[in-house]
Amino acid sequence: MTLLNKIREWINIRLYPSKRGVLYFLRRASFVIALVTLCALVINYGYKLSAQEKTLVFKIVQFSLIFYLTKYIIKIIYDFHPIQFIKETKIEALLMLLILINLISLYFFDFNVLKETGNLLNIDNVDAFFNAGIQIYFLVVFLIEFGKASSILDTIKINPSLLFIYSFLILFTIGTALLLMPEMNVTGKSPEFLDALFTSISASCVTGLTVVDTGSFWSFKGQLVILILIQLGGLNIISFATLLVLFTRNNIGLRQQSIMQNNLLADSLSSSSGLLKRIFTYTFTIELIGSVVLFSTFYYQESKSFIRGYFDALFHSISAFNNAGFSTHENGLMAEGVSTAYWYHIIIGILIIIGSLGFSNIYDILSIKKRRLDENKPWLSLKIDTRISLYASAILILSGMVVFFLVERNGILADDSLFVGLVKSFFQSVTARTAGFNTVDIGLLAAPTLILLIFLMFIGASPGSTGGGIKTNTFVLIFIGTYTIIKGRANIEIFKRTIPYDLVMKAYSIMLFAITTISIGIFLLSVFEPEFSLLQLSFEQVSAFATVGLSTGITAELSVPGKIIIMVTMFVGRIGPLTLAYSLLRESKSKSYKYPETRIMVG
């Protein structure tokens, strides 16, 4: 053993001068090769390739496997504690061992170990499973390398709001490129560019407005792309990149912490990384539980295939939690068999409500008992933010449900029983607050009901969630601020706390920007879409701005200018009007002087 240690030490000493340069080269080459391989695999999935082209893709994958195997061996050689390194990377080591065995058996003995092992164990398509695992491996490698590359954010001096905007521009650009591939839809031909762009923006902005039916037009591959766009758009691609950095480095720079604090509405720089980890933990856990419940209660019996059934369950769980409103069913939740599955509607509604509360509020609700015990302070209660969100959400959902039921009882609900009518009313009240699913034909609703839904859509979800609108807390501050001014009180108070006037002014600013954006959109739509009523156009515009996705059925019939207006509105609504304003305006320098006060006539 001593001799081996001496040999290893002699090798490490001889190799040490080149270690830094070699590992640096491998890191850079790893990202490029992973990107090229991933692009090759995407092209293989997105297009019908000839035998020669498929052979080229196969060779690229083989070369990549050999490269990563070589890279792993080199890292073992350069490491001062190779055994410890293998233990720490045991999953990668196992995968590398399988790749090595399979390559040796194929090239030197013309013997496919995986195929023969599958035949021995009566496992069909073991090659397909292995290839899928290899492709997932390359995806993970690329994401890790992308996460490492995102550390460059620490050195780039860019407005966090502008970076947030860029991330969405990049996301729906990539999404559009993917959806344009022929294999992403059932026709086998490239779709119209505007249709792919509209769908990509709608999915990235978790809106749900569509110009083609998601369930009947897009293939399984296309629906998978839409699902990924929903997840990345809901949680933000910057958050994903930062999470990957945390996995690879266990820490992030001050610049990235500042960016994440701005995006996540964290209390401090140091809390942003912890909140990010909790967000992903809660998100994936809730989505997984939701998919299992949906599958076991509905899709297990309805679907012929287990894989297809669970994919549909997972798709709707992610779409509901992220308040996206996309559905793999033809005609959405109004599809035959789905429209009468009322317990299914209730489960979707619960996922929508949880997702609309906001991540920090979910954490506060789940952790309050633990904090009471840990800090030995039984009087600790929910934060003011959480209480406002809960009360406002409950009041809006219940009042919306009651009004919807009363207005439509002799209308669209006339033929339904009391239970069915209440479930439909509950679901539409919930989904109008940024989810976008519908179990009734929105185009057949009475005018007062449409106005009610516009009001609910305009307010939207709670701060820090994936939902849109001006947000519940903003509406509450505006309401209380207005009430305080009317009563002539000096301070704005809620739950025995005084609210600073700068927060109230910010709330009024958000509402003003929202009303201005919506008004401009309605004006432009009325110019380009004169065949539709003002109420229909107003509903469409508010739905797009609030990233809801409900429609009276006119989305696909809009002209090219009309679709562009809706796309821009969805984008502005997702990033937020104030975020857009902050990114466009330069930060003003503080002034040490103050002009004399004056009085002007108001009202």
Side-chain angles (χ1 to χ4, degrees):
M1 191 67 181
T2 306
L3 180 60
L4 288 176
N5 287 334
K6 287 183 178 180
I7 294 173
R8 183 175 56 80
E9 184 179 352
W10 181 85
I11 293 173
N12 284 331
I13 292 173
R14 294 296 181 276
L15 293 176
Y16 184 78
S18 62
K19 179 178 180 179
R20 185 174 181 181
V22 171
L23 294 182
Y24 177 82
F25 169 77
L26 289 175
R27 282 196 301 270
R28 294 297 179 267
S30 178
F31 178 79
V32 174
I33 291 174
L35 178 60
V36 171
T37 307
L38 194 61
C39 289
L41 291 172
V42 168
I43 291 173
N44 183 51
Y45 275 118
Y47 294 89
K48 287 185 177 180
L49 303 181
S50 64
Q52 186 177 2
E53 291 169 335
K54 286 186 176 181
T55 302
L56 178 60
V57 172
F58 178 72
K59 288 182 178 179
I60 291 174
V61 173
Q62 278 190 320
F63 172 79
S64 303
L65 292 175
I66 294 171
F67 170 81
Y68 283 105
L69 179 60
T70 305
K71 175 188 172 184
Y72 189 77
I73 294 173
I74 291 174
K75 289 172 72 174
I76 292 175
I77 294 173
Y78 272 107
D79 199 277
F80 289 108
H81 305 284
I83 296 177
Q84 184 64 28
F85 173 77
I86 294 173
K87 288 181 179 179
E88 292 174 355
T89 58
K90 53 182 175 292
I91 297 178
E92 186 178 2
L94 179 61
L95 183 59
M96 291 297 120
L97 180 61
L98 290 174
I99 292 172
L100 178 62
I101 293 173
N102 205 46
L103 287 175
I104 292 174
S105 62
L106 278 173
Y107 282 98
F108 293 98
F109 303 101
D110 194 23
F111 180 78
N112 193 325
V113 175
L114 288 171
K115 187 175 182 179
E116 294 302 325
T117 303
N119 293 335
L120 184 64
L121 299 176
N122 293 322
I123 300 175
D124 297 328
N125 299 322
V126 67
D127 277 338
F129 283 108
F130 181 73
N131 291 333
I134 292 297
Q135 292 156 18
I136 292 172
Y137 169 75
F138 280 121
L139 177 62
V140 171
V141 168
F142 173 74
L143 291 175
I144 291 174
E145 296 298 332
F146 175 76
K148 292 176 181 177
S150 69
S151 60
I152 197 174
L153 294 175
D154 291 335
T155 60
I156 296 178
K157 293 182 179 180
I158 186 171
N159 188 320
S161 299
L162 196 58
L163 184 63
F164 184 65
I165 293 173
Y166 286 157
S167 70
F168 276 96
L169 290 172
I170 294 171
L171 180 60
F172 64 67
T173 299
I174 295 174
T176 302
L178 292 174
L179 291 176
L180 282 171
M181 295 191 295
E183 291 295 298
M184 296 299 164
N185 64 83
V186 296
T187 66
K189 301 178 182 179
S190 294
E192 294 291 333
F193 172 78
L194 199 63
D195 292 346
L197 178 62
F198 194 101
T199 303
S200 179
I201 293 177
S202 183
S204 301
C205 297
V206 290
T207 304
L209 288 173
T210 56
V211 289
V212 292
D213 187 78
T214 306
S216 60
F217 181 79
W218 300 109
S219 64
F220 176 81
K221 297 175 182 179
Q223 292 171 2
L224 181 60
V225 170
I226 292 172
L227 180 63
I228 294 172
L229 291 175
I230 291 171
Q231 190 73 89
L232 290 175
L235 291 176
N236 185 343
I237 193 171
I238 298 177
S239 299
F240 272 95
T242 306
L243 183 72
L244 292 169
V245 174
L246 288 172
F247 274 123
T248 55
R249 295 193 324 194
N250 295 322
N251 62 77
I252 56 177
L254 290 176
R255 177 67 177 168
Q256 280 182 285
Q257 289 186 37
S258 176
I259 293 171
M260 294 316 302
Q261 182 190 19
N262 180 73
N263 290 337
L264 301 175
L265 304 178
D267 296 329
S268 63
L269 287 177
S270 59
S271 65
S272 60
S273 58
L275 178 59
L276 179 64
K277 292 179 180 178
R278 290 194 294 269
I279 284 174
F280 277 85
T281 301
Y282 291 151
T283 297
F284 294 145
T285 302
I286 293 170
E287 289 173 349
L288 181 62
I289 293 174
S291 66
V292 172
V293 174
L294 288 174
F295 178 76
S296 59
T297 57
F298 181 77
Y299 290 104
Y300 179 74
Q301 297 177 340
E302 295 292 327
S303 299
K304 297 179 180 179
S305 167
F306 172 85
I307 295 177
R308 181 69 216 194
Y310 187 76
F311 174 79
D312 287 337
L314 182 63
F315 188 101
H316 286 87
S317 179
I318 292 176
S319 183
F321 180 76
N322 286 280
N323 288 200
F326 279 88
S327 173
T328 55
H329 301 298
E330 187 174 352
N331 204 22
L333 299 193
M334 291 181 62
E336 185 179 354
V338 184
S339 60
T340 55
Y342 301 113
W343 288 108
Y344 174 91
H345 300 166
I346 292 174
I347 295 169
I348 292 288
I350 292 172
L351 287 170
I352 293 170
I353 293 172
I354 296 173
S356 68
L357 285 177
F359 298 110
S360 60
N361 293 335
I362 294 174
Y363 170 71
D364 191 34
I365 294 169
L366 296 177
S367 65
I368 186 63
K369 289 185 177 181
K370 184 177 183 301
R371 286 193 288 119
R372 282 176 170 176
L373 293 174
D374 291 346
E375 299 179 23
N376 197 22
K377 295 178 181 179
W379 59 84
L380 283 177
S381 60
L382 296 173
K383 295 187 299 184
I384 301 295
D385 276 331
T386 307
R387 281 187 274 174
I388 292 176
S389 296
L390 288 174
Y391 285 131
S393 298
I395 292 172
L396 288 171
I397 291 172
L398 291 176
S399 59
M401 173 183 171
V402 172
V403 174
F404 187 98
F405 181 80
L406 294 176
V407 174
E408 294 295 335
R409 190 69 185 111
N410 296 320
I412 205 168
L413 303 177
D415 298 330
D416 296 323
S417 65
L418 179 62
F419 172 76
V420 173
L422 290 175
V423 170
K424 288 184 177 180
S425 301
F426 163 78
F427 189 85
Q428 291 310 137
S429 180
V430 169
T431 194
R433 296 186 53 245
T434 82
F437 292 105
N438 60 291
T439 56
V440 298
D441 191 340
I442 301 298
L444 298 179
L445 296 177
T449 309
L450 292 177
I451 294 173
L452 166 69
L453 296 182
I454 287 175
F455 173 73
L456 293 175
M457 291 191 297
F458 180 75
I459 296 175
S462 300
S465 70
T466 58
I470 64 171
K471 302 296 191 299
T472 52
N473 292 20
T474 303
F475 177 75
V476 170
L477 285 184
I478 292 170
F479 182 84
I480 294 175
T482 303
Y483 177 79
T484 301
I485 293 172
I486 294 174
K487 296 292 289 186
R489 295 177 181 174
N491 299 318
I492 300 173
E493 300 170 346
I494 185 171
F495 294 121
K496 298 182 180 180
R497 294 290 189 275
T498 300
I499 305 298
Y501 272 95
D502 63 319
L503 283 181
V504 180
M505 292 304 297
K506 184 177 180 180
Y508 278 108
S509 299
I510 291 172
M511 186 176 71
L512 178 62
F513 272 112
I515 292 175
T516 303
T517 304
I518 291 171
S519 300
I520 293 173
I522 293 173
F523 172 77
L524 293 175
L525 284 174
S526 64
V527 172
F528 293 106
E529 312 294 339
E531 67 273 21
F532 299 117
S533 69
L534 183 62
L535 183 57
Q536 286 177 308
L537 296 177
S538 299
F539 191 93
E540 195 82 7
Q541 176 68 6
V542 174
S543 178
F545 174 81
T547 67
V548 177
L550 291 177
S551 174
T552 55
I554 68 172
T555 310
E557 300 176 22
L558 294 175
S559 63
V560 172
K563 291 177 181 178
I564 292 174
I565 293 167
I566 293 298
M567 285 189 288
V568 172
T569 304
M570 288 190 291
F571 179 56
V572 173
R574 178 64 182 95
I575 63 176
L578 278 188
T579 301
L580 181 63
Y582 289 155
S583 65
L584 297 177
L585 299 176
R586 292 185 178 182
E587 187 177 350
S588 61
K589 297 180 180 179
S590 59
K591 299 177 180 179
S592 58
Y593 60 87
K594 178 183 178 183
Y595 290 115
E597 291 185 357
T598 188
R599 309 289 292 181
I600 60 175
M601 296 177 64
V602 177

